[in-house]
Amino acid sequence: MQSLTDTFILSNGYSIPCVGFGTWQTPDGETAVNAIKAAITSGYRHIDAAAVYENEKSVGLGIAESNIKREELFITSKVWNAERGYDKTLKAFEKTCADLGVEYLDLYLIHWPAVKNQYDNWEEINLDTWKAMTELYKAGKIKSIGVSNFLPHHLEALMQTEVKPMVNQIEFHPGLLQTETVAYCNEHNILVEAWSPLGTGKM
């Protein structure tokens, strides 16, 4: 990587910038607006957002005030745990787009998997969520789809579907290498995207 605009190529041929500007823990309001504007001015083109961060309207305002063409940005968001499932995911996507002030997303992720110690039908929940995302992807409203914080056993059911996950965003840094998950993703052509790549300042 030579610059912030260098990219990786996803399994569907879509390009994703190598480095993204994360908005987790960014206070809503003026701080978030100014942070986004400063990031874009500094050369960032990938903005990573999520509904649960509760700052997407401010992130969207920062994007709008940056006066940059939409097609020059790569915008990620994520469907939160309480919004998993087919119908809820469709509604969550529409709200995120409205809050961000965009007509499409470059990447949409399932923020966390439903898991078996919480739900007897955890695989069904994940698959229903994935079905909604797949339909949005096929309709062109999302350019690429993926997951976040999924382990191999969470991914297995999704790998049997028509459209496979293109990204798995996981905590990945020198203090947490998640070798099994990374190996699985590499084997199945899923791009591993690191969140907190510096370990939030501690390992």
Side-chain angles (χ1 to χ4, degrees), residues 7-202:
T7 60
F8 294 115
I9 305 299
L10 300 176
S11 59
N12 67 341
Y14 201 63
S15 297
I16 177 173
C18 295
V19 178
F21 184 80
T23 58
W24 178 45
Q25 297 181 320
T26 303
D28 192 28
E30 185 178 356
T31 299
V33 173
N34 290 337
I36 293 299
K37 291 165 67 175
I40 291 173
T41 298
S42 299
Y44 283 93
R45 291 297 179 265
H46 181 179
I47 307 298
D48 181 272
V52 76
Y53 300 165
E54 298 183 341
N55 58 11
E56 286 194 316
K57 286 186 178 180
S58 297
V59 170
L61 185 58
I63 290 170
E65 291 185 2
S66 295
N67 294 317
I68 189 169
K69 293 180 180 178
R70 169 66 184 91
E71 58 268 24
E72 293 184 22
L73 292 176
F74 187 104
I75 300 175
T76 297
S77 189
K78 312 171 192 77
V79 59
W80 183 239
N81 302 354
E83 308 305 325
R84 289 182 301 227
Y86 180 79
D87 291 329
K88 287 184 177 180
T89 295
L90 294 177
K91 291 178 182 178
F93 170 79
E94 294 297 336
K95 183 178 187 306
T96 277
C97 285
D99 287 348
L100 290 171
V102 298
E103 294 183 356
Y104 69 92
L105 293 176
D106 296 278
L107 177 62
Y108 201 39
L109 306 174
I110 302 177
H111 207 145
W112 288 89
V115 295
K116 60 184 176 182
N117 65 343
Q118 293 180 319
Y119 306 98
D120 290 336
N121 63 333
W122 63 277
E123 279 193 318
E124 180 182 345
I125 294 170
N126 290 332
L127 284 168
D128 284 346
T129 305
W130 192 249
K131 179 182 178 182
M133 293 171 63
T134 298
E135 289 185 7
L136 292 166
Y137 169 70
K138 292 173 71 174
K141 295 181 178 181
I142 309 170
K143 302 301 182 182
S144 52
I145 53 177
V147 297
S148 183
N149 303 299
F150 273 54
L151 300 176
H153 68 277
H154 301 131
L155 284 162
E156 286 173 1
L158 302 188
M159 296 307 299
Q160 309 306 314
T161 63
E162 178 185 3
V163 180
K164 313 296 190 294
M166 298 154 197
V167 171
N168 188 11
Q169 187 184 102
I170 60 174
E171 184 177 6
F172 181 79
H173 50 69
L176 184 62
L177 297 177
Q178 298 211 51
T179 53
E180 181 182 355
T181 298
V182 171
Y184 183 94
C185 290
N186 288 340
E187 180 183 350
H188 292 88
N189 202 19
I190 301 170
L191 182 74
V192 173
E193 183 181 13
W195 60 261
S196 294
L198 301 179
T200 61
K202 59 185 177 181

